[in-house]
């Protein structure tokens, strides 16, 4: 009797868990259906999307319930600020057969709020569905994305991809650099050299044995960062194209 | 009485004195006391010990003086001073990992990253029976080092044929700092059981330097208690249990930027000793454990001197065991074999609290662990009545590792690859003593010393060194520091004069010192830069000790203790923390149970420094004058009252010594009154 009750309870809790998928360990943000009848589920690593680089996934099911694995999927984030609208950097999804998900990412550059609201248009084989997205501010004392106008007059965006969970010692560092071509297009920048300098703002000291990030493809730059202790860390990046300094100092803030 | 002052010396050459100084009331113990030093051969010589003993005896006499001061008046020993308490002994100006310090043969390692807790601070004169100094790396059974070591021997009870009780209590007061000491002790023994317990409480406010100038943050408060018990097991063996606890609170360190909230030590040992009936063999096996818990504190400092509040706790945990066999093979052949091992784990962290921003945490010692196995053999062979040779060897294997994944991760930012290391160290020596006639004794020794980098030197993570104001990083790849030690000694004695001279030269290779790392940012606010420990190709250290004792007339003794060292590295730069010439000259007058002593302590100027390289500055000469007097009253057949009065720094000189970190003035005039009742 007890066993049955336990079993019932266990299955019950599983059924109730509508916002996360146990197997995927992803949080379901929303779901919509395209005019063509494809069910689009939008997933993220956590329920909270923040002002940062966010990994976003979609799963596609046809009306018959079969997984759609060979669609062309694109993301288009748009911030509607009443008088104007702008987009932000996005990494277009690629199908991951292992997880049966299309994986991409979006850098939300500001939080949702009185200033405006975010939508994410997911196009499946050119059929768009529009998701309303709530973007929360960055966690206190952190800044995982920043934008600055370079010496060439172009605005550059730097977003932190790794370390997602910083620890003391050597961490793999990965950042994404985009530029603003116009309000709606933020292509990846692949031709910069980056100098990294970590700093603890409350102490003024840095750390040794960091490795400057170098371009590895699609605007991703990978290096190493050494955190000698926990606390507030500021990553200073200097962006250069050849010998020309494009951005003297753009910073991201981490806290752990 | 004479017997208790008799100095037994094992002759491992000049550098191999292993002298045991018996404190008061130990002569009744002597018959029962097993061999407790390297008593391979009992040579009733080593006048430098004899001579210096008068000075020490006065200090230890009423069991209330700080152990620091007792050590300070020993030739060859200089104290590195960071506060009014817990000074760090240096042996012929070697310190830290270069020498070993042990208590009853047990290895104990301080927990403080700023060396605020040398283990000598955990023993008190009322539980210290003696200490033995060995300058010879090969003959030092306690561990490996290039400069020998100091072993502190705790008071232990002894069996008695008839049931005996004895006890003591006492109290003392010092005008400077309004310091007080209170102590009590009790001993019980019968034929099969012996027990002793004692405790001391000390407290001092800030002391005053010359002219009544108060030295802030020089206060301390502590208590120390120890018990030991022996139970006979069979006819020739006994079991012995020792426990010592020492807790200090609110200890000020004027030379450092932080004080100590608490420093606690718990030291426990269980031994089994077996003697052959003829006294030809002694076998002791001991297991031990000790735990040091230490926390630095900046909350009492004025806010304007504390740029950021921080917590810096540290612990040191050691357990170990050894088994030692003393073989008295014949009158001319003595042998000692010891197998030992220990496991030491250090932990020290720093958490900083910025006024705006999040707390910052890091390990300063990220759980380094050392496992150690050692073998020691020494063999004293008398080739004739005049000549004795003593070869000795100590081999030690160490495995160092970092425990804990977060600790390893933090160090991954500094050191590449695996962090564990295996180290093998060999210490070898041969000593000869030659006694051409009854007045003269000559000795000479040659030794090869080696020592592994200490865990701090291997794995330090931005540990601030106040001496040169640099943050220090460890270096797991340090080679062992090794040395060739040559020493020569001579002693002359006749009925009224004793003079003893030692000279030594240590030729050190791979001397471990800090070198500036360019481009590293400091962790400590206000630090000048970052240094990392490296091996300096070579260094040399030479010096000597001269002790003289002259009795021009009955009851009057003139004595002089002189110590000198000089050190330089391969580039001719002066080594740091090298004490200059020190001379202690005294006149003692003893009449019945009353004594008077007038004593001058002079430290020459130290101008041989390398400010650029090691951060030291020159120190001027200093001289102070001390007066001591004491009287013992017999209140009954058993009960004795001892009263000691002393004036230290009679002329209220403003002075400091070269090993005083930050050159904080030492105490001005200090009147001391101490009373002890022996029951």
């Amino acid at each position: 009797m007890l066993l049955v009750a336990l079993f019932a309870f266990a299955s019950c809790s599983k059924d109730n868990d509508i916002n996360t998928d146990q197997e995927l360990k992803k949080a379901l943000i929303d779901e919509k259906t395209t005019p063509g009848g494809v069910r689009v589920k939008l997933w993220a690593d956590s329920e909270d999307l923040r002002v940062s680089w966010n990994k976003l996934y979609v799963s596609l099911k046809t009306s018959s319930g079969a997984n759609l694995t060979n669609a062309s999927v694109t993301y288009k984030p748009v911030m509607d600020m009443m008088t104007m609208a702008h987009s932000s950097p996005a990494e277009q999804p690629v199908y991951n057969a292992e997880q049966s998900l299309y994986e991409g990412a979006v850098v939300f550059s500001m939080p949702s709020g009185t200033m405006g609201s975010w939508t994410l248009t997911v196009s499946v084989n050119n059929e768009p569905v529009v998701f309303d997205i709530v973007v929360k501010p960055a966690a206190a004392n952190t800044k995982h994305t920043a934008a600055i106008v370079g010496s060439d007059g172009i605005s550059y965006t730097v977003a932190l991809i790794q370390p997602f969970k910083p620890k003391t010692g050597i961490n793999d560092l990965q950042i994404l650099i985009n530029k603003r071509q116009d309000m709606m297009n933020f292509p990846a920048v692949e031709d910069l050299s980056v100098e990294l300098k970590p700093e603890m703002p409350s102490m003024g000291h840095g750390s040794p044995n960091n490795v400057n990030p170098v371009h590895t493809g699609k605007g991703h730059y990978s290096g190493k960062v050494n955190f000698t202790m926990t606390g507030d860390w500021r990553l200073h990046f200097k962006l250069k194209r050849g010998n020309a300094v494009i951005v003297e100092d753009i910073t991201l803030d981490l806290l752990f | 009485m004479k017997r208790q002052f008799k100095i037994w010396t094992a002759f491992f050459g000049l550098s191999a004195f292993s002298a045991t100084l018996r404190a008061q009331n130990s002569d009744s113990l002597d018959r029962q006391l097993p061999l407790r030093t390297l008593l391979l051969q009992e040579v009733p010589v080593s006048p430098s010990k004899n001579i210096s003993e008068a000075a020490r005896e006065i200090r230890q006499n009423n069991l209330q003086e700080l152990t620091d001061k007792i050590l300070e008046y020993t030739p060859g020993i200089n104290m590195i001073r960071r506060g009014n308490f817990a000074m760090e002994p240096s042996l012929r100006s070697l310190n830290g990992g270069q020498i070993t310090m042990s208590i009853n043969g047990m290895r104990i390692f301080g927990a403080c990253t700023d060396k605020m807790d040398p283990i000598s601070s955990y023993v008190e004169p009322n539980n210290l029976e003696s200490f033995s100094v060995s300058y010879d790396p090969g003959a030092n059974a306690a561990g490996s080092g290039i400069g020998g070591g100091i072993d502190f021997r705790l008071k232990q009870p002894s069996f008695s044929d008839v049931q005996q009780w004895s006890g003591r209590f006492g109290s003392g007061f010092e005008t400077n700092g309004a310091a007080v000491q209170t102590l009590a002790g009790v001993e019980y023994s019968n034929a099969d059981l012996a027990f002793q317990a004692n405790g001391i409480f000390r407290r001092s406010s800030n002391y005053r330097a010359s002219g009544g100038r108060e030295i802030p943050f020089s206060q301390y408060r502590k208590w120390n208690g120890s018990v030991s018990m022996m139970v006979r097991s069979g006819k020739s063996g006994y079991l012995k249990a020792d426990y010592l606890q020492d807790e200090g609170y609110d200890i000020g360190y004027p030379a450092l930027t932080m004080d100590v909230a608490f420093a606690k030590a718990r030291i426990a040992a269980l031994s089994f000793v077996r003697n052959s009936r003829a006294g030809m063999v002694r076998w002791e096996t001991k297991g031990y454990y000790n735990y040091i818990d230490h926390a630095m504190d900046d909350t009492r400092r004025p806010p304007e001197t504390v740029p950021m509040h921080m917590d810096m706790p540290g612990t040191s945990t050691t357990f170990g065991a050894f088994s030692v066999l003393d073989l008295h093979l014949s009158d001319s052949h003595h042998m000692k074999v010891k197998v030992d091992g220990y496991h030491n784990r250090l932990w020290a962290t720093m958490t900083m609290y910025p006024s705006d921003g999040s707390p910052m945490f890091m390990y300063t010692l990220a759980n380094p662990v050392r496992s150690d196995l050692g073998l020691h053999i020494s063999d004293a062979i008398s080739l004739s009545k005049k000549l004795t040779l003593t070869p000795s060897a100590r081999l030690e294997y160490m495995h160092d590792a970092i425990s804990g994944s977060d600790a390893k991760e933090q160090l991954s930012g500094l050191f590449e690859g695996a962090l564990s290391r295996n180290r093998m160290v060999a210490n070898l020596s041969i000593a000869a003593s030659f006694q051409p006639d009854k007045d003269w004794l000559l000795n000479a020794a040659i030794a090869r010393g080696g020592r592994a980098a200490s865990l701090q030197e291997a794995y330090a993570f931005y540990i601030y060194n106040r001496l040169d104001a640099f943050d220090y990083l460890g270096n797991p790849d340090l080679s062992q520091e090794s040395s060739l030690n040559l020493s020569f000694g001579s002693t002359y004695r006749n009925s009224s004069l004793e003079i003893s001279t030692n000279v030594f030269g240590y030729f050190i290779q791979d001397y471990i010192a800090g070198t500036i790392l360019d481009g590293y940012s400091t962790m400590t606010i206000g630090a000048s830069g970052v240094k990392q420990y490296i091996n300096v190709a070579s260094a040399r250290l030479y010096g000597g000790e001269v002790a003289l004792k002259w009795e021009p007339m009955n009851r009057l003794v003139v004595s002089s203790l002189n110590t000198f060292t000089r050190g330089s590295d391969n580039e001719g730069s002066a080594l740091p923390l090298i004490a200059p010439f020190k001379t202690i000259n005294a006149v003692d007058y003893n009449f019945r149970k009353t004594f008077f002593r007038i004593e001058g302590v002079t430290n020459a100027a130290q101008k041989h420094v390398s400010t650029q390289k090691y951060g030291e500055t020159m120190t001027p000469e200093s001289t102070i004058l001390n007066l001591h007097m004491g009287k013992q009253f017999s209140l009954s057949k058993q009960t004795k009252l001892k009263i000691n009065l002393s004036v230290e720094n009679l002329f209220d000189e403003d002075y400091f010594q070269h090993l005083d970190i930050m050159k904080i003035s030492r105490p001005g005039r200090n009147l001391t009154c101490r009373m002890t009742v022996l029951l």
Side-chain angles (χ1 to χ4, degrees):
Chain A
M1 190 64 195
L2 186 66
L3 275 174
V4 173
L6 273 175
F7 183 72
F9 181 75
S11 31
C12 200
S13 64
K14 196 171 182 181
D15 290 346
N16 284 348
D17 206 352
I18 49 165
N19 280 334
T20 55
D21 184 301
Q22 295 297 326
E23 278 179 22
L24 291 174
K25 290 186 178 157
K26 303 276 188 283
L28 181 66
I29 302 298
D30 203 352
E31 50 188 306
K32 300 254 160 140
T33 309
T34 64
V38 176
R39 192 70 180 155
V40 182
K41 283 189 179 180
L42 181 67
W43 307 87
D45 288 322
S46 110
E47 283 181 39
D48 292 337
L49 299 177
R50 292 194 181 271
V51 176
S52 66
W53 179 87
N54 294 269
K55 205 144 194 197
L56 289 172
Y57 314 83
V58 292
S59 59
L60 304 177
K61 280 202 163 80
T62 59
S63 47
S64 63
N67 280 337
L68 189 61
T69 61
N70 56 358
S72 103
V73 182
T74 62
Y75 291 163
K76 184 82 175 177
V78 174
M79 178 73 196
D80 185 357
M81 300 172 77
M82 308 302 181
T83 57
M84 59 167 282
H86 66 80
S87 182
S88 68
E91 299 196 79
Q92 297 310 324
V94 177
Y95 188 66
N96 178 340
E98 225 168 84
Q99 298 201 313
S100 308
L101 288 176
Y102 295 80
E103 290 183 6
V106 173
V107 178
F108 294 112
S109 49
M110 59 188 283
S112 312
T114 51
M115 296 281 286
S117 48
W118 283 98
T119 56
L120 178 70
T121 304
V122 178
S123 299
V124 179
N125 294 332
N126 294 320
E127 288 191 350
V129 286
V130 180
F131 292 93
D132 290 322
I133 302 285
V134 176
V135 176
K136 296 194 170 178
N141 294 324
T142 68
K143 185 173 74 173
H144 287 187
T145 178
I148 196 169
V149 177
S151 59
D152 54 1
I154 296 171
S155 175
Y156 290 86
T157 303
V158 173
L160 182 76
I161 297 173
Q162 267 191 313
F164 180 64
K165 281 187 178 161
K167 57 182 173 37
T168 47
I170 291 280
N171 291 258
D172 286 330
L173 174 75
Q174 201 180 136
I175 54 173
L176 174 68
I177 304 179
N178 298 75
K179 66 179 178 185
R180 188 174 69 190
Q181 195 172 297
D182 54 49
M183 294 301 269
M184 286 298 152
N185 288 291
F186 292 78
V189 183
E190 308 190 336
D191 60 347
L192 296 176
S193 62
V194 180
E195 287 173 23
L196 161 70
K197 211 179 195 181
E199 183 207 359
M200 293 205 90
S202 40
M203 304 273 298
H205 70 67
S207 68
N209 302 332
N210 298 286
V211 178
N212 286 331
V214 293
H215 187 249
T216 53
K218 294 184 175 176
H220 287 232
Y221 292 77
S222 296
K224 303 261 187 205
V225 60
N226 180 15
F227 297 126
T228 48
M229 58 202 300
T230 68
D232 291 296
W233 281 92
R234 177 163 290 168
L235 303 180
H236 294 270
F237 298 100
K238 182 191 266 193
L239 309 183
K240 288 160 80 172
R241 183 174 286 121
N243 286 326
V245 176
I246 303 298
V247 172
E248 183 62 42
D249 188 23
I250 184 168
T251 62
L252 301 178
D253 291 344
L254 284 75
L255 167 63
F256 65 102
Chain B
M1 282 300 274
K2 269 218 156 145
R3 187 177 173 118
Q4 80 194 42
F5 297 135
K6 199 163 181 180
I7 308 287
W8 300 105
T9 301
F11 256 87
F12 301 108
L14 148 107
S15 47
F17 308 99
S18 220
T20 306
L21 288 154
R22 297 272 151 78
Q24 286 289 331
N25 72 13
S26 64
D27 55 347
S28 65
L29 309 181
D30 256 7
R31 271 165 289 125
Q32 300 288 343
L33 280 179
L35 292 158
R36 261 177 293 134
T37 44
L38 300 173
L39 303 186
L40 300 183
Q41 193 181 21
E42 297 167 356
V43 182
V45 196
S46 180
S48 75
K49 303 296 177 208
N50 254 335
I51 295 166
S52 63
E53 197 198 349
R56 253 184 296 178
E57 194 267 331
I58 283 170
R59 290 189 161 71
Q60 201 165 356
N61 182 290
N62 51 36
L63 312 167
Q64 293 178 22
E65 193 85 79
L66 281 167
T67 304
D68 293 349
K69 286 200 178 171
I70 300 169
L71 288 165
E72 198 165 26
Y73 285 83
T74 305
I77 295 181
N78 284 290
M79 304 299 282
I80 302 168
R81 184 180 164 102
R82 297 179 173 85
N84 203 22
F85 178 75
M87 290 177 245
E88 180 192 354
S90 80
L91 209 54
R92 285 179 171 166
S93 293
L94 296 174
N95 61 78
Q98 296 171 319
I99 58 172
T100 64
M101 280 201 283
S102 52
I103 297 178
N104 282 356
M106 298 181 277
R107 299 306 305 270
I108 302 176
F109 300 90
C112 177
T113 51
D114 284 357
K115 299 179 180 174
M116 288 170 170
D117 63 341
I119 69 160
S120 47
S121 68
Y122 297 123
V123 290
E124 286 285 341
N126 61 319
N127 60 29
L128 174 69
E129 184 169 286
S130 66
F131 56 88
S132 78
V133 176
S134 167
Y135 293 114
D136 184 324
N140 177 17
S144 52
I146 61 166
I150 305 173
D151 187 37
F152 296 93
R153 295 167 189 281
L154 298 179
K155 182 165 294 215
Q156 71 165 33
S158 60
F159 301 115
S160 57
D161 296 337
V162 292
Q163 179 170 300
Q164 279 182 357
W165 281 97
S166 65
R168 59 196 173 274
F169 61 88
S171 190
F173 179 78
E174 298 178 31
T175 55
N176 199 337
V180 292
Q181 306 92 36
T182 307
L183 72 92
V186 64
E187 272 146 38
Y188 169 80
S189 61
N190 64 29
D192 295 314
L193 178 81
F195 170 85
Q196 74 90 24
N198 65 66
I200 189 166
F201 173 78
R202 305 179 171 279
R203 195 189 66 212
S204 174
S205 307
N206 288 337
Y207 73 82
R208 288 172 189 275
S210 171
R213 184 164 56 92
E214 183 174 344
I215 303 295
F217 315 110
S218 60
Q219 79 289 347
Y220 61 83
R221 191 171 90 237
K222 78 170 281 189
W223 67 264
N224 175 296
S226 72
V227 289
S228 64
M229 190 160 92
M230 283 163 58
V231 180
R232 206 181 278 287
S233 149
K235 285 201 167 163
S236 54
Y238 61 89
L239 261 171
K240 180 167 164 261
D242 293 284
Y243 180 73
L244 184 151
Q245 188 166 344
D246 184 290
E247 298 200 351
Y249 294 94
D250 187 22
I251 305 166
Y253 285 82
L256 304 178
T257 52
M258 295 179 87
D259 302 315
V260 166
F262 62 81
K264 301 176 189 176
R266 290 176 176 81
I267 299 165
L270 188 66
S271 332
F272 181 67
V273 181
R274 207 176 153 79
N275 292 301
S276 77
R277 265 179 235 179
M280 304 303 275
V281 179
R282 179 176 184 273
W283 184 27
E284 177 181 0
T285 303
K286 176 182 286 197
Y288 62 91
Y289 168 83
N290 58 72
Y291 176 68
I292 315 279
D293 190 4
H294 188 272
M296 284 189 252
D297 179 26
D298 59 11
T299 57
R300 287 162 194 262
R301 296 292 176 112
E304 64 272 17
T305 67
V306 181
M308 191 181 297
H309 165 59
M310 59 184 87
D311 284 335
M312 293 186 72
T315 63
S316 167
T317 312
T318 309
F319 55 88
F322 62 80
S323 192
V324 56
L325 194 62
D326 283 292
L327 297 168
H328 189 98
L329 298 171
S330 73
D331 282 348
S332 59
H333 192 189
H334 305 244
M335 199 172 171
K336 176 176 173 140
V337 182
K338 184 182 179 221
V339 181
D340 54 77
Y342 69 83
H343 182 82
N344 170 242
R345 178 193 169 116
L346 298 175
W347 170 89
T349 68
M350 174 166 81
T351 308
M352 295 192 267
Y353 300 91
S355 48
D356 50 346
S358 308
M360 295 171 275
F361 169 88
M362 68 175 203
Y363 291 100
T364 46
L365 283 171
N367 302 332
V369 176
R370 173 166 287 174
S371 307
D372 177 292
L373 210 56
L375 171 70
H376 170 78
I377 298 174
S378 64
D379 193 15
I381 309 158
S382 296
L383 299 178
S384 71
K385 286 227 183 306
K386 292 179 174 175
L387 182 65
T388 299
L389 286 181
T390 310
S392 312
R394 182 175 169 81
L395 301 173
E396 200 162 331
Y397 166 80
M398 284 161 246
H399 176 73
D400 297 348
I402 299 295
S403 106
S405 59
D406 52 343
K408 283 180 189 157
E409 275 168 5
Q410 181 188 305
L411 293 186
S412 73
L414 211 52
F415 310 123
E416 278 181 37
L419 293 163
S420 61
R421 295 287 184 277
N422 295 319
R423 306 177 192 278
M424 187 83 192
V425 176
N427 285 218
L428 305 165
S429 69
I430 182 156
S433 71
F434 180 62
Q435 195 163 11
D437 58 46
K438 69 177 178 52
D439 292 340
W440 282 91
L441 179 81
L442 304 172
N443 47 64
I446 180 166
R448 188 271 179 198
R451 62 121 179 167
S454 67
L455 289 176
Q456 283 87 347
E457 287 161 341
Y459 299 110
F461 198 81
Y462 293 94
I463 292 180
Y464 183 62
N465 178 0
R466 187 71 196 232
L467 187 64
D468 57 5
F470 273 77
D471 280 336
Y472 273 69
L473 297 179
N475 179 358
D477 296 320
L478 285 173
S479 301
Q480 63 173 283
E481 187 175 280
S482 62
S483 67
L484 176 69
N485 298 3
L486 302 175
S487 51
F488 178 76
S490 71
T491 293
Y492 171 79
R493 102 195 299 197
N494 65 26
S495 57
S496 65
L497 179 71
E498 286 178 30
I499 180 162
S500 171
T501 308
N502 301 329
V503 291
F504 65 89
Y506 294 173
F507 303 90
I508 305 169
Q509 291 200 313
D510 291 322
Y511 177 76
I512 296 174
T515 188
I516 294 174
L517 284 180
D518 288 321
Y520 276 59
S521 63
T522 60
M523 183 70 68
T524 306
I525 295 164
S528 310
V530 178
K531 285 188 179 179
Q532 184 169 34
Y533 290 105
I534 55 149
N535 290 110
V536 174
S538 67
R540 60 177 62 184
L541 184 71
Y542 60 88
E545 295 100 33
V546 176
L548 182 147
K549 182 184 172 191
W550 179 43
E551 293 185 58
M553 53 187 278
N554 207 8
R555 300 188 186 119
L556 188 72
V557 178
V558 177
S559 64
S560 177
L561 305 173
N562 304 279
T563 302
F564 173 71
T565 45
R566 189 178 171 93
S568 50
D569 68 12
N570 58 329
E571 291 172 336
S573 306
L575 298 182
L577 293 175
I578 301 292
F581 175 67
K582 173 169 87 173
T583 177
I584 301 170
N585 297 288
V587 179
D588 285 90
Y589 182 73
N590 282 278
F591 179 67
R592 292 193 178 157
K593 297 282 185 181
T594 308
F595 75 85
F596 297 93
R597 178 181 174 87
I598 178 166
E599 174 185 84
V601 181
T602 298
N603 280 268
Q606 179 58 288
K607 292 178 177 160
H608 185 60
V609 295
S610 22
T611 310
Q612 196 67 33
K613 204 163 175 181
Y614 298 113
E616 273 192 336
T617 54
M618 291 196 273
T619 305
E621 180 269 349
S622 69
T623 299
I624 59 163
L625 203 68
N626 303 327
L627 298 178
H628 298 274
M629 62 175 292
K631 187 162 174 62
Q632 179 170 310
F633 302 93
S634 289
L635 302 180
S636 73
K637 199 179 170 199
Q638 267 268 310
T639 312
K640 292 179 183 111
L641 169 69
K642 287 182 181 180
I643 296 182
N644 285 32
L645 296 172
S646 60
V647 186
E648 287 167 311
N649 195 0
L650 180 67
F651 296 119
D652 200 33
E653 294 289 337
D654 189 12
Y655 79 110
F656 49 82
Q657 297 179 3
H658 187 61
L659 301 191
D660 295 358
I661 306 291
M662 301 305 286
K663 303 196 189 310
I664 309 270
S665 291
R666 290 199 171 207
R669 190 181 299 115
N670 184 19
L671 272 64
T672 303
C673 175
R674 295 186 169 119
M675 278 184 288
T676 308
V677 176
L678 303 175
L679 300 168

